[in-house]
C-alpha cells in the first residue's frame, strides 16, 4: 500500500485532468491511495489543502480543461518574501517546511506535473530525499528532455483556427492583422500555427526580426495584388538588437511578456501606410478541452509516472520519445530551455513556402 501525492503547478495546460485521472486509476489498480495537493504545493504548508482522489473524483474528467486540483503560477512557493521595516525584502527559504509537509501528509511519493519551474522544484525536493516523478506540461513546449509537452498541440489547434478566421476579414478590408500568440521565450506555437494556417509573416524569439524585411515582404505581396496579410508574432518576438515587449498584469506576477502585436502593427502602419489591426489570443490558447492527441499523451504520461514509482525510480521526468514514453533525469529537463532549433525542418518549410520570418 502506497500513498501517492500529485500536484499541478504553473500555468494550466489542456490535459492536466487526464494526467490526474491516469495517475489515480493506475494507482488504485495497484491498491494505492492518491492524494491531490490543491493549488500547487499549498498542502505542504496547510494539510487541509488536499483532496483524496478516488474513482468518482476523476470520473469523466479526461476531456476537461483546467485542473481539478487548481494551480498557481508566478512566485516560488518554497520561498517567502518578507518586507523589512527599512523597505528591503528578505527571502526566506521554505524548502525544509515543504519537506516536513510532505511527510506530515504521510506520502510515499510525489507526482509533480508542471513546466520548467515545477521541474526545478521537483528536482530540489528530490535532492532533499523526496521520491518524486515529474510530468512535463506546458502549452509553450519549451521544456527540454521531451519531444513534446501536453497542451502544446491544443494551443496550436486553437491558434490555427483563429488565424484562419482572420484571413477573410483581413481580405475584405485590405488590412494587415498582427496576431500575438503565447509561448514565452520560445516560438513553437507561433511557428506551428503560423505555418499550418498560412500566415504571411511569422516572428519568433529565435529569429530576431528586421522590420525592413517584414515591410518589404508585405509590400511585394501588395504589388502582386494581395492587399491583405496576417502577421503572426510570438509574444517573445523581438527586433534585431532590441528588447522583448512587456505588459502589466492585474494581480499575480505584475509584469509579463505581452504587447508585441501593438508594437509590430504600429511600425508596419508607420512604414507602409497600411491599415493594421491586432488580435492577442492570450489565455484562449490554454483554456478548454484538450484535443485527443494531448489527452492521449497526458494519459500515457500519468500511467508511466505510476510505473516509475512502482519501479522505485525517482528524480526523473516521464518524457515522450516517439514512439514510446520513457523517463529522463530531472536535471536534463531543467538544463536548458527548448527553443525552436534554427535547423528545424519546419523553419525550412516556412521559408520554402515563401513565409517571411523577419530575416
Ligand atoms: O507558460 C504558459 C503561459 O501561458 C505563457 O505562454 C505565458 O507567457 C504565460 O503562461 C502567461 O502567464 P499567466 O497565466 O501568469 O498570465
Amino acid at each position: 500500500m502506497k500513498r501517492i501525492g500529485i500536484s499541478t503547478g504553473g500555468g494550466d495546460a489542456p490535459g492536466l485532468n487526464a494526467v490526474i485521472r491516469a495517475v489515480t486509476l493506475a494507482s488504485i489498480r495497484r491498491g494505492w491511495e492518491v492524494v491531490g495537493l490543491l493549488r500547487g504545493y499549498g498542502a505542504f504548508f496547510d494539510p487541509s489543502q488536499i483532496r483524496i482522489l478516488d474513482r468518482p473524483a476523476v470520473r469523466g474528467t479526461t476531456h476537461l480543461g483546467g485542473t481539478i486540483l487548481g494551480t498557481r503560477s508566478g512566485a516560488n512557493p518554497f520561498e517567502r518574501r518578507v518586507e523589512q521595516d527599512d523597505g528591503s525584502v528578505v527571502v526566506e527559504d521554505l524548502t525544509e517546511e515543504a519537506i516536513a509537509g510532505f511527510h506530515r501528509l504521510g506520502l510515499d511519493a510525489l507526482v509533480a506535473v508542471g513546466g520548467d519551474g515545477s521541474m526545478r522544484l521537483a528536482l530540489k525536493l528530490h535532492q532533499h530525499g523526496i521520491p518524486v516523478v515529474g510530468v512535463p506540461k506546458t502549452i509553450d513546449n519549451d521544456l527540454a528532455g521531451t519531444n513534446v509537452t501536453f497542451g502544446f498541440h491544443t494551443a496550436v489547434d486553437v491558434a490555427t483556427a483563429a488565424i484562419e478566421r482572420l484571413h477573410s476579414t483581413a481580405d475584405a478590408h485590405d488590412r494587415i492583422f498582427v496576431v500575438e500568440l503565447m509561448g514565452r521565450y520560445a516560438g513553437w506555437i507561433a511557428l506551428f500555427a503560423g505555418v499550418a494556417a498560412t500566415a504571411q509573416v511569422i516572428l519568433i524569439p529565435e529569429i530576431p526580426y528586421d522590420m525592413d524585411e517584414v515591410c518589404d515582404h508585405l509590400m511585394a505581396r501588395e504589388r502582386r495584388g494581395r492587399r491583405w496579410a496576417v502577421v503572426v508574432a510570438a509574444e517573445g518576438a523581438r527586433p534585431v538588437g532590441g528588447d522583448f515587449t512587456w505588459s502589466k498584469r492585474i494581480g499575480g506576477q505584475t509584469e509579463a511578456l505581452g504587447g508585441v502585436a501593438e508594437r509590430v502593427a504600429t511600425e508596419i502602419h508607420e512604414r507602409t501606410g497600411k491599415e493594421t489591426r491586432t488580435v492577442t489570443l492570450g489565455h484562449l490558447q490554454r483554456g478548454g478541452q484538450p484535443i485527443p492527441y494531448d489527452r492521449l499523451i497526458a494519459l500515457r504520461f500519468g500511467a508511466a509516472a505510476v510505473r516509475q514509482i512502482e519501479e522505485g525510480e525517482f528524480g526523473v521526468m516521464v518524457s515522450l520519445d516517439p514512439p514510446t514514453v520513457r523517463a529522463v533525469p530531472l536535471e536534463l529537463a531543467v538544463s536548458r530551455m527548448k527553443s525552436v532549433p534554427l535547423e528545424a525542418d519546419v523553419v525550412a518549410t516556412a521559408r520554402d513556402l515563401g513565409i517571411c520570418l523577419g530575416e
Side-chain angles (χ1 to χ4, degrees):
M1 170 77 184
K2 284 189 194 297
R3 191 168 154 94
I4 310 299
I6 178 167
S7 70
T8 53
D12 68 323
L16 282 167
N17 289 319
V19 177
I20 296 167
R21 178 163 170 269
V23 167
T24 302
L25 296 184
S27 297
I28 290 173
R29 189 165 168 262
R30 288 164 171 77
W32 303 348
E33 185 183 30
V34 183
V35 178
L37 312 185
L38 302 180
R39 299 176 197 87
Y41 287 107
F44 284 171
F45 306 99
D46 173 359
S48 70
Q49 295 293 305
I50 61 165
R51 179 171 174 195
I52 300 298
L53 297 176
D54 51 14
R55 283 180 192 280
V58 297
R59 191 163 288 148
T61 55
T62 298
H63 65 289
L64 299 181
T67 157
I68 58 170
L69 298 177
T71 186
R72 289 288 177 273
S73 53
N76 181 342
F78 293 178
E79 286 179 352
R80 184 186 293 132
R81 297 170 67 80
V82 185
E83 197 167 327
Q84 308 295 293
D85 292 341
D86 63 1
S88 62
V89 173
V90 171
V91 179
E92 288 177 7
D93 187 354
L94 304 181
T95 309
E96 292 302 332
E97 249 185 78
I99 288 162
F102 173 88
H103 293 301
R104 193 169 44 226
L105 292 170
L107 300 176
D108 297 298
L110 175 71
V111 177
V113 191
D116 62 334
S118 301
M119 292 309 122
R120 268 192 196 91
L121 291 176
L123 179 58
K124 193 167 196 183
L125 289 173
H126 170 66
Q127 287 163 342
H128 282 78
I130 303 287
V132 56
V133 176
V135 174
K137 160 243 67 166
T138 166
I139 64 164
D140 305 330
N141 195 33
D142 59 355
L143 198 55
T146 184
N147 177 266
V148 77
T149 49
F150 70 83
F152 167 64
H153 280 289
T154 301
V156 170
D157 203 58
V158 170
T160 302
I163 298 165
E164 267 168 12
R165 294 194 79 90
L166 293 174
H167 285 201
S168 56
T169 178
D171 186 5
H173 286 264
D174 294 339
R175 283 173 174 160
I176 310 267
F177 271 81
V178 184
V179 186
E180 180 173 322
L181 300 180
M182 281 185 166
R184 286 203 307 181
Y185 304 103
W188 293 103
I189 301 176
L191 183 63
F192 276 45
V195 171
T198 315
Q200 282 67 48
V201 178
I202 303 174
L203 307 178
I204 59 174
E206 292 83 351
I207 305 176
Y209 63 83
D210 178 341
M211 199 39 89
D212 288 338
E213 296 296 335
V214 172
C215 292
D216 285 354
H217 185 84
L218 294 172
M219 287 297 97
R221 178 176 158 85
E222 176 112 350
R223 286 192 294 276
R224 294 197 304 273
R226 310 287 278 156
R227 297 162 59 82
W228 63 275
V230 177
V231 176
V232 169
E235 63 182 356
R238 56 174 167 166
V240 176
D243 202 358
F244 299 110
T245 315
W246 302 95
S247 74
K248 292 270 173 246
R249 292 284 158 94
I250 306 153
Q253 51 181 340
T254 49
E255 203 178 44
L257 286 168
V260 72
E262 289 292 332
R263 178 181 182 177
V264 168
T266 304
E267 266 195 73
I268 290 174
H269 173 68
E270 284 170 0
R271 287 167 180 245
T272 66
K274 291 287 297 178
E275 207 174 301
T276 57
R277 293 290 186 273
T278 62
V279 173
T280 299
L281 226 50
H283 296 78
L284 289 173
Q285 292 158 97
R286 260 167 51 181
Q289 298 194 344
I291 60 169
Y293 181 77
D294 278 336
R295 291 179 205 182
L296 186 61
I297 309 178
L299 292 168
R300 291 169 70 194
F301 280 169
V306 173
R307 292 196 296 273
Q308 287 302 126
I309 295 172
E310 189 170 43
E311 284 162 23
E313 203 194 325
F314 298 107
V316 293
M317 179 185 83
V318 295
S319 115
L320 186 68
D321 182 6
T324 195
V325 169
R326 59 178 81 250
V328 297
L330 280 167
E331 282 89 349
L332 176 64
V334 304
S335 60
R336 64 179 177 88
M337 184 187 81
K338 188 178 75 183
S339 314
V340 175
L342 295 185
E343 64 281 9
D345 84 281
V346 67
V347 173
T349 303
R351 289 187 186 120
D352 280 335
L353 291 170
I355 296 171
C356 170
L357 299 175
E359 51 189 343

